[in-house]
Amino acid sequence: MRSLRWVLVLLCLMPVVANAATPAQSGIETFNQALDAATRSMDNAATLALWEDDGVSLLPSTPPIVGKKAIGKFLDDVMASIPGGRMEMFEMQCHDIEVSGDWASEWCTEHQIVQFPGGKPPFEGWGKMLFVLHRGAEGVWRIREEMWNQAVAPP
Amino acid sequence: MRSLRWVLVLLCLMPVVANAATPAQSGIETFNQALDAATRSMDNAATLALWEDDGVSLLPSTPPIVGKKAIGKFLDDVMASIPGGRMEMFEMQCHDIEVSGDWASEWCTEHQIVQFPGGKPPFEGWGKMLFVLHRGAEGVWRIREEMWNQAVAPP
């Protein structure tokens, strides 16, 4: 009887365990780690690989950047505008991951410090991001839409 | 035999018709019309009714506003800061509506002109929005996350 009771307890707990870390949410965490790594290393090819072909990037005071080709050009232009720039620190925390079929969403906060050569002062910035992600046929999550805006620096 | 052939043709067409204007996408259009009407009339109660209890509003240079109560206070504070303000014009165009189960997303552009009493100059602004929407148990779509940033004024 004691072993039967434990089996019942385990069966009752199973849905809770399944909710705690679904395979789909694990997929989003894998995406987040890849985005974190690509941003830290300022690796534009790795960043672009995280975008869907018809992705849309929504940045402040900038027209919507539509499609992987335009997003790649934007990333290259940014890197060309900060020669020798190096990401010294990048931190990202994501919240409210929701997965429904092949679509997902989450919002994140980020903090970054970029160093420049030649004694230029470093850039320190704080931002917020909202992501709509889509899982492709091969099971990989990529960005369909990303929006960014300024966050408040901590006191 | 001829009637059977027509039944088969109709059965084949049905999924195509369903894809062209799904009830779920119609639900998002209903949400958009309600958001448009609430914004035009600056009706905070109507705007707040479009939010989920645990919604998150992500505005520039502002900490995340989490929960319907905090969002209501923010809306009231905005209205109190512009006494007599009146929305003269509001236009919103939305794109890339995606629905998956009870979750949906879309991004929009908006253009607004607000008039003030006492000869103050009007405010004219352009913005972009990204929405994550959730369909509640009663079948109504509401905002789970909204982010806004500045758009570029047309030339």
Side-chain angles (χ1 to χ4, degrees):
Chain A
M1 280 303 282
R2 181 174 286 180
S3 62
L4 176 60
R5 191 184 300 165
W6 277 111
V7 167
L8 288 173
V9 167
L10 282 173
L11 282 174
C12 290
L13 283 175
M14 277 172 73
V16 177
V17 172
N19 275 338
T22 66
Q25 283 183 326
S26 300
I28 307 302
E29 282 156 16
T30 300
F31 163 85
N32 287 345
Q33 287 160 12
L35 178 64
D36 184 281
T39 308
R40 274 173 204 269
S41 57
M42 290 178 138
D43 180 341
N44 280 4
T47 301
L48 200 59
L50 298 173
W51 280 89
E52 291 230 299
D53 287 347
D54 50 0
V56 180
S57 179
L58 299 164
L59 300 177
S61 304
T62 305
I65 308 172
V66 179
K68 203 167 176 172
K69 191 176 169 184
I71 292 166
K73 182 181 182 314
F74 177 84
L75 292 172
D76 289 343
D77 289 349
V78 168
M79 287 305 286
S81 72
I82 52 166
R86 185 179 57 80
M87 187 73 72
E88 184 179 88
M89 195 277 291
F90 181 75
E91 288 175 344
M92 184 175 82
Q93 280 93 34
C94 296
H95 310 269
D96 296 336
I97 294 174
E98 292 289 347
V99 179
S100 181
D102 288 330
W103 292 86
S105 61
E106 60 175 343
W107 64 275
C108 309
T109 57
E110 61 90 7
H111 175 206
Q112 59 185 277
I113 298 175
V114 181
Q115 294 283 359
F116 302 103
K120 285 186 197 166
F123 166 81
E124 182 167 22
W126 287 265
K128 305 189 290 298
M129 296 175 283
L130 180 56
F131 287 105
V132 174
L133 305 173
H134 181 241
R135 181 164 45 193
E138 76 285 26
V140 175
W141 289 96
R142 294 196 180 85
I143 306 168
R144 181 61 166 268
E145 281 125 19
E146 174 197 31
M147 184 176 257
W148 182 97
N149 70 23
Q150 188 82 27
V152 178
Chain B
M1 281 301 284
R2 182 174 284 181
S3 62
L4 175 62
R5 191 184 300 164
W6 276 111
V7 168
L8 288 173
V9 167
L10 282 172
L11 282 173
C12 291
L13 282 175
M14 276 172 72
V16 176
V17 173
N19 274 338
T22 66
Q25 282 183 327
S26 300
I28 307 302
E29 282 156 16
T30 300
F31 163 85
N32 288 345
Q33 286 159 12
L35 178 64
D36 184 281
T39 307
R40 273 172 204 268
S41 57
M42 290 177 140
D43 180 342
N44 281 4
T47 302
L48 199 59
L50 298 173
W51 280 90
E52 291 231 297
D53 287 346
D54 50 0
V56 180
S57 178
L58 300 163
L59 301 177
S61 304
T62 305
I65 308 172
V66 179
K68 203 166 175 172
K69 191 176 168 185
I71 292 165
K73 182 181 182 313
F74 177 85
L75 292 172
D76 289 343
D77 289 349
V78 168
M79 287 306 286
S81 72
I82 51 166
R86 186 180 57 79
M87 187 72 71
E88 184 180 88
M89 194 276 291
F90 181 76
E91 288 175 345
M92 183 174 82
Q93 280 92 35
C94 296
H95 311 269
D96 296 336
I97 295 174
E98 291 289 345
V99 180
S100 180
D102 288 331
W103 292 86
S105 62
E106 60 175 344
W107 65 274
C108 309
T109 57
E110 59 90 7
H111 174 207
Q112 59 184 279
I113 299 175
V114 181
Q115 293 284 358
F116 303 103
K120 285 185 198 166
F123 166 81
E124 181 166 23
W126 288 264
K128 306 189 291 298
M129 297 175 283
L130 180 55
F131 287 105
V132 174
L133 305 172
H134 182 240
R135 181 164 46 190
E138 76 287 26
V140 176
W141 289 97
R142 294 195 180 87
I143 306 168
R144 180 61 166 265
E145 281 124 20
E146 174 198 33
M147 184 176 257
W148 183 97
N149 70 22
Q150 188 83 26
V152 178

